[in-house]
Amino acid sequence: MDIYDERNYGPIREGLFERHIDNLTKLKRAILQAKGDEKYIKLNELYDYAKVIAPAFCFDDDPIRVNYACVADFINNTEKLIPPEFIMNPAITTDRSFKCSRESEPEEIAEYIATKTRVQLCKRLTQTENLSLITMLDLEDNCSFAAFTAASLAEYLGLKAKVKVLNPGFSTDACLYNGGEHAFTLIITDNRIFLIDCTYSQFFINSRCQIQKNGIMLSRNCQPGFFMTLTPARRKVAEKILRDGWIELKNDELKHYIDGFTLSYRNGLFYERSEDFSFTTPYDVNTCWDFISYEKDLLDFEDEETLGYQYTPLKNPRMRFDKY
């Protein structure tokens, strides 16, 4: 028997999800019982199973795949049960002994703003000023608080500051995800530009950085941290931001930072159709400035169907994305 959901998106096939719940639960149990890296091997087995069963959930009268939503939710909820472990060490600078004034060197000002922002984050999340504690936390959903805190500190010091929000695909019009924005701060001092991002470590949590996560319908793709580890230049930028909470934008630093997000927006269809597993982008640093200014977006260059949530199952559900 089919029933219609209250939003009138299409028929929900009763019992379809229930046919797979035993296997899904067995895979989930294996993940939670596994130790060390074995849990991620088991997590990828869950991803593989979700891709194999996807075609059974696809119907012409259900273009947004409501029937698959329970599978996607099951995966998302399973990932949340894995304690945060990071693919790059988010060790941070904890020295708060220095003072700062409008006459301080630009690097000192950036360091001061990032550290004070982290102190406020720590108070918000742990009710202490022990900065080492936030190296173990998932900072998701705290980026706006951190970005506006940094901007306020910069403005107090008489600096120009702007909060930037990265929407998926760098587009405010395309609904590539439900939410998924990320905020960071740009400050300008002595005609030098510094990027402040004190919640960047949220994108380096291991359970979110599995490349085989790509290709699952209605599920977020592999997150930026994975892609930031693949080249020395990107890794250097990531290490700097994770450690200090800031980086000066002098050359291609913005491109490397933005590339991580750009690559994370591409779903499994991009790789299946292009057969491009280089995990690179053709966009120069000037285009990246256009992205964060909303003068251009990824839909100017790439197919919307291959960005954000995936609504078409892979032709080969067993394809591998770890071909780098």
Side-chain angles (χ1 to χ4, degrees), residues 16-27 49 74:
L16 182 57
F17 176 70
E18 285 70 21
R19 296 176 202 171
H20 301 279
I21 188 62
D22 287 345
N23 287 334
L24 289 167
T25 301
K26 185 184 299 183
L27 290 164
Y49 184 77
F74 185 94

Side-chain angles (χ1 to χ4, degrees), residues 60-313:
D60 291 341
D61 57 358
D62 179 18
I64 65 169
R65 308 310 184 204
V66 170
N67 286 279
Y68 196 77
C70 289
V71 178
D73 288 343
F74 185 94
I75 291 171
N76 182 51
N77 292 332
T78 299
E79 290 173 345
K80 289 180 178 179
L81 295 175
I82 302 175
E85 297 177 330
F86 298 90
I87 61 172
M88 287 180 65
N89 185 356
I92 66 174
T93 301
T94 59
D95 180 11
R96 305 200 309 275
S97 61
F98 64 88
K99 295 182 179 181
C100 180
S101 69
R102 299 182 186 185
E103 289 72 39
S104 297
E105 292 297 318
E107 293 86 353
E108 293 176 321
I109 293 174
E111 186 77 21
Y112 174 81
I113 290 172
T115 302
K116 293 290 285 185
T117 298
R118 282 173 161 168
V119 169
Q120 294 304 312
L121 263 176
C122 201
K123 288 181 178 179
R124 174 183 172 94
L125 298 173
T126 72
Q127 290 74 54
T128 75
E129 293 189 9
N130 183 358
L131 288 182
S132 63
L133 293 179
I134 66 172
T135 65
M136 300 177 286
L137 298 179
D138 178 2
L139 299 179
E140 188 177 34
D141 297 329
N142 288 281
C143 61
S144 291
F145 172 83
F148 282 101
T149 297
S152 295
L153 289 165
E155 290 168 355
Y156 176 77
L157 293 171
L159 306 178
K160 293 181 180 178
K162 180 171 287 189
V163 172
K164 292 287 185 177
V165 179
L166 297 181
N167 294 89
F170 314 117
S171 172
T172 56
D173 298 323
C175 185
L176 300 180
Y177 291 130
N178 296 325
E181 298 87 2
H182 178 60
F184 62 92
T185 312
L186 296 181
I187 64 171
I188 302 173
T189 176
D190 289 351
N191 294 317
R192 296 164 65 182
I193 303 176
F194 294 83
L195 184 153
I196 313 288
D197 188 345
C198 294
T199 65
Y200 194 46
S201 63
Q202 66 179 292
F203 302 112
F204 291 79
I205 291 177
N206 206 337
S207 59
R208 298 173 184 159
C209 291
Q210 302 294 311
I211 188 58
Q212 281 301 122
K213 183 177 172 66
N214 281 24
I216 301 174
M217 295 192 303
L218 302 187
S219 183
R220 290 190 180 279
N221 306 318
C222 179
Q223 291 209 336
F226 168 82
F227 305 104
M228 296 302 290
T229 67
L230 299 183
T231 71
R234 281 190 219 143
R235 179 178 281 273
K236 184 178 180 181
V237 167
E239 287 174 343
K240 169 67 174 171
I241 299 173
L242 288 171
R243 182 183 68 246
D244 297 332
W246 63 273
I247 191 168
E248 184 177 2
L249 303 181
K250 297 181 292 185
N251 299 303
D252 282 344
E253 291 85 1
L254 180 68
K255 171 179 167 53
H256 298 313
Y257 176 80
I258 293 299
D259 274 356
F261 291 96
T262 303
L263 292 164
S264 76
Y265 299 144
R266 293 172 174 172
N267 63 40
L269 297 178
F270 174 90
Y271 299 101
E272 185 173 60
R273 294 174 182 179
S274 69
E275 298 184 347
D276 178 3
F277 293 91
S278 66
F279 301 120
T280 58
T281 76
Y283 314 118
D284 61 17
V285 67
N286 292 325
T287 303
C288 291
W289 279 108
D290 289 339
F291 284 154
I292 68 172
S293 301
Y294 294 119
E295 294 177 15
K296 295 179 182 177
D297 60 49
L298 274 184
L299 276 72
D300 293 325
F301 305 96
E302 301 185 19
D303 182 1
E304 183 172 358
E305 193 176 4
T306 67
L307 298 171
Y309 283 143
Q310 184 174 319
Y311 295 98
T312 302

